[in-house]
Amino acid sequence: MNAYVYGYGPAGKERLIVVDLGVTFPDMDSSPGVDLIMADVAWLEENKHRIDAIFITHAHEDHIGALPHLWPRLRKPVYARRFTARIGALKLEEAGIGTEDLHVVEPRPQVIEAGPFKVQFVPVSHSIPESSALVIDTPAGRIVHTGDFKLDGSPIVGEPFDPVMWHEIAGEGDGVKLLVCDSTNVFSPQPGRSEATLAGPLTQLIAEQEGMVVATTFASNVARLKTLAEAGRAAGRSICLLGRAMKRMVSVAEETAVLTGFPGHIPAEDAADVPRHNLMLIVTGSQGERRAASAQLSRGKYLGIEMKDGDTFLFSSKVIPGNERGVIRIMNAFSEKGVEVIDDRGGLYHVSGHANRPDLEAVHDLLKPQMLIPMHGEHRHMREHSKIATSKGIASLVATNGMMIDITGQAPKVAEYIEAGRTYLDGSVLIGALDGVVRDRIRMALNGHVLITVIIDEDDVPLGDAWVELMGLPEVGRSGTPIADQIEDELAEFLERAPDKIISNDDKMDEALRRIARQVTMEEIGKKPEVTVVVSRLMAD
Ligand SMILES: [Zn+2]
């Protein structure tokens, strides 16, 4: 959920620009039921009058996904290159937001002036079209914000790595004061491989298959989609794209002219009529997402197509840490159908979109920054990247969420910590990660829920018995009698004896009834459930 902020000016009055507004994805353990997770922008919102612009480096969800959710709270001009802007516009339109503040930028030499900042977009190769680094010039020096990048001389779609341009960027003025640099693959010791190396192995693999071939990759990896489709065509197969995200990416890439020569493809309705050995599907769901096409196919018939013994399913992708369970579930489901599952274990069918350690070092050496702040990666990645920089005499610091860093001196130093938590998109509303909503949801999921209802009359006397309903709990426990009945009996006994000062007090009633329900369930099943106590009081006229 990338969201970087740069500031220039007197302390506390700096003019600000925002780089990227991304999301991350929830999981069942820590954020069940949540739809998306993004940075808490409360501080930016408070300082909205100081923000001059928002820049989006590329259209991956972790860089642009929060735009429709957070832009309405900031309402500042947004700058992005054509493809990224188009994806952003679709997101805003879907959220019913106008796109008049979204501006298409051409790459360097175009300069966008935003307050004291002069910003240029520099094409970099990555795993989505038109990724960009930003060169951010301020009166105090030049910052290079790499965005996500790799060094690829032949990326299939988009611009190759251009060492001449980077050399120029390093040489202008006083050089690069600060490099803020992708750290994702810092632990990969070999130089990264080009997207172009995949065509041979993929073409051979697909040509060797007898049955239907289904391949999955990230929907936004348009270059890979093209390589896969071409490999399929070379094997005499009709190509069919399945999954909304994938069709959208291909059409936006074609519409913005970043993708040309994509092989013709057939609609899903026609795919079922094509003989299996003449058919190749390219589908969404490389991360095991439950609703994506790959998961649907693993469960059975999808849009009239069913995978069978003799077919092949190819993951031209890697599993993002945390998604292993979903992917393995799909692999096993295909395996049970007799489908051959091929993944990237051998390193032949996927290359990463991020720079490996030797490539990162090449960029350090090319740009010769005075300081380096690692970004994009887990803390261990950024720490390693920082160590590499320090060992080369580049001053460095690991920035964690909310850390404001002063880069005016010779080395980065912490200036301030800003409250910067997480915001959840829950259904259609934004909530704070610490608001207690998800905490209560997790407690109910883990411990179950008991509802107690009591009616108290005008004279503070219970009207009839309390009644109890259970949710997410077994009906009977150790004793063999229904738990709800036992709680009701205990409550009846309590209410009979309880003094007026408890009966007339909502808080005391709540506490006492809750304790009884928890005691009974603890004895019966060894769990303390969440309890809701509803006390309805009849009012005298
Ligand atoms: Zn990316």
Side-chain angles (χ1 to χ4, degrees):
M1 48 172 194
N2 290 281
Y4 284 80
V5 182
Y6 293 95
Y8 177 82
K13 293 197 169 92
E14 300 93 344
R15 299 303 302 176
L16 306 172
I17 55 171
V18 178
V19 176
D20 291 336
L21 282 174
V23 293
T24 187
F25 296 95
D27 59 64
M28 276 306 282
D29 291 339
S30 65
S31 42
V34 170
D35 294 278
L36 282 175
I37 303 174
M38 61 204 82
D40 174 3
V41 296
W43 184 85
L44 282 175
E45 207 175 354
E46 268 166 45
N47 292 283
K48 194 158 70 170
H49 56 285
R50 291 162 51 195
I51 303 173
D52 288 308
I54 300 167
F55 296 88
I56 307 288
T57 59
H58 65 289
H60 274 152
E61 288 296 317
D62 55 334
H63 296 259
I64 198 175
L67 191 64
H69 309 293
L70 299 184
W71 186 85
R73 293 167 62 175
L74 305 177
R75 299 193 169 271
K76 297 294 168 181
V78 178
Y79 296 92
R81 292 180 63 199
R82 196 169 307 275
F83 175 83
T84 310
R86 188 72 199 113
I87 297 287
L90 290 171
K91 287 180 181 294
L92 292 173
E93 279 162 11
E94 263 172 19
I97 301 167
T99 56
E100 55 281 356
D101 281 307
L102 190 53
H103 305 282
V104 173
V105 177
E106 296 301 327
R108 177 181 156 99
Q110 188 184 339
V111 177
I112 298 108
E113 297 210 18
F117 300 95
K118 293 185 168 68
V119 181
Q120 300 173 74
F121 282 67
V122 182
V124 289
S125 32
H126 183 39
S127 45
I128 188 168
E130 291 195 340
S131 285
S132 302
L134 300 179
V135 171
I136 304 169
D137 285 316
T138 74
R142 172 166 279 188
I143 299 163
V144 173
H145 180 104
T146 66
D148 295 1
F149 78 101
K150 68 182 288 191
L151 303 187
D152 195 333
S154 45
I156 309 290
V157 170
E159 302 91 345
F161 172 65
D162 180 355
V164 176
M165 190 185 282
W166 285 101
H167 201 76
E168 274 171 28
I169 289 165
E172 290 164 358
D174 295 330
V176 177
K177 183 163 183 71
L178 171 68
L179 174 64
V180 181
C181 191
D182 186 353
S183 310
T184 317
N185 283 356
V186 70
F187 288 115
S188 304
Q190 310 296 334
R193 288 177 303 133
S194 168
E195 187 68 31
T197 61
L198 299 176
L202 284 171
T203 304
Q204 190 185 343
L205 175 77
I206 292 163
E208 282 165 5
Q209 306 310 311
E210 302 286 337
M212 176 165 63
V213 174
V214 181
T216 186
T217 188
F218 297 96
S220 57
N221 195 337
V222 173
R224 187 69 48 79
L225 298 179
K226 188 179 182 193
T227 305
L228 287 166
E230 283 173 346
R233 290 298 302 147
R237 292 172 183 268
S238 296
I239 307 300
C240 174
L241 302 181
L242 289 187
R244 181 173 162 267
M246 193 168 275
K247 284 188 245 177
R248 170 190 271 201
M249 280 292 168
V250 169
S251 75
V252 172
E254 286 180 329
E255 181 190 317
T256 53
V258 297
L259 175 67
T260 51
F262 193 84
H265 38 106
I266 59 170
E269 309 85 88
D270 298 351
D273 301 330
V274 177
R276 308 185 83 74
H277 61 276
N278 292 128
L279 181 62
M280 176 170 168
L281 311 180
I282 306 178
V283 304
T284 50
S286 69
Q287 300 306 305
E289 302 93 322
R290 284 180 154 275
R291 282 171 293 184
S294 64
Q296 307 258 24
L297 282 167
S298 78
R299 291 196 286 265
K301 215 172 201 173
Y302 177 57
L303 300 174
I305 303 162
E306 188 164 19
M307 294 196 75
K308 292 186 196 160
D309 196 359
D311 293 339
T312 303
F313 193 96
L314 167 67
F315 285 89
S316 181
S317 55
K318 72 153 196 173
V319 185
I320 294 174
N323 295 339
E324 293 86 350
R325 263 193 283 178
V327 172
I328 287 169
R329 187 185 302 124
I330 289 177
M331 286 180 166
N332 281 319
F334 281 131
S335 179
E336 281 177 32
K337 289 173 178 288
V339 172
E340 187 70 17
V341 176
I342 297 171
D343 65 11
D344 186 47
R345 244 168 297 168
L348 287 174
Y349 308 122
H350 175 67
V351 294
S352 170
H354 296 275
N356 291 354
R357 176 172 173 157
D359 307 323
L360 292 172
E361 294 211 41
V363 169
H364 304 163
D365 297 345
L366 192 58
L367 292 179
K368 297 187 184 63
Q370 184 190 332
M371 313 174 196
L372 183 146
I373 292 176
M375 72 170 169
H376 211 280
E378 298 161 20
H379 196 280
R380 62 197 177 99
H381 298 115
M382 299 197 283
R383 184 187 170 93
E384 179 72 9
H385 198 173
S386 185
K387 274 204 259 177
I388 294 169
T390 309
S391 74
K392 298 166 114 179
I394 306 169
S396 181
L397 183 76
V398 174
T400 52
N401 291 339
M403 195 185 276
M404 184 194 279
I405 297 167
D406 179 358
I407 54 165
T408 51
Q410 292 304 304
K413 64 171 197 274
V414 178
E416 202 181 324
Y417 290 93
I418 286 166
E419 189 79 36
R422 294 173 157 219
T423 295
Y424 291 158
L425 176 68
D426 196 45
S428 55
V429 296
L430 297 178
I431 58 173
L434 303 177
D435 288 358
V437 174
V438 173
R439 182 198 59 211
D440 286 354
R441 188 176 295 162
I442 292 171
R443 284 185 187 160
M444 283 190 275
L446 296 177
N447 302 317
H449 182 247
V450 174
L451 174 68
I452 301 173
T453 312
V454 190
I455 300 174
I456 308 292
D457 73 10
E458 300 92 322
D459 304 316
D460 285 340
V461 177
L463 196 67
D465 289 333
W467 70 93
V468 167
E469 284 176 51
L470 307 183
M471 283 181 82
L473 287 167
E475 252 173 72
V476 292
R478 221 162 270 155
S479 69
T481 41
I483 296 169
D485 293 356
Q486 288 186 62
I487 299 174
E488 283 175 357
D489 290 348
E490 294 279 334
L491 293 175
E493 210 171 294
F494 169 81
L495 291 171
E496 210 162 288
R497 286 184 285 107
D500 280 359
K501 67 170 197 241
I502 290 186
I503 302 260
S504 60
N505 182 311
D506 280 347
D507 291 342
K508 287 192 172 135
M509 280 286 276
D510 190 273
E511 193 193 318
L513 302 188
R514 178 187 307 269
R515 196 170 52 227
I516 291 167
R518 291 185 134 203
Q519 249 163 21
V520 172
T521 44
M522 190 64 201
E523 279 160 24
E524 284 293 313
I525 57 170
K527 270 180 182 273
K528 284 189 173 166
E530 294 304 295
V531 182
T532 304
V533 178
V534 179
V535 178
S536 303
R537 294 184 186 274
L538 302 181
M539 295 294 177
D541 290 335

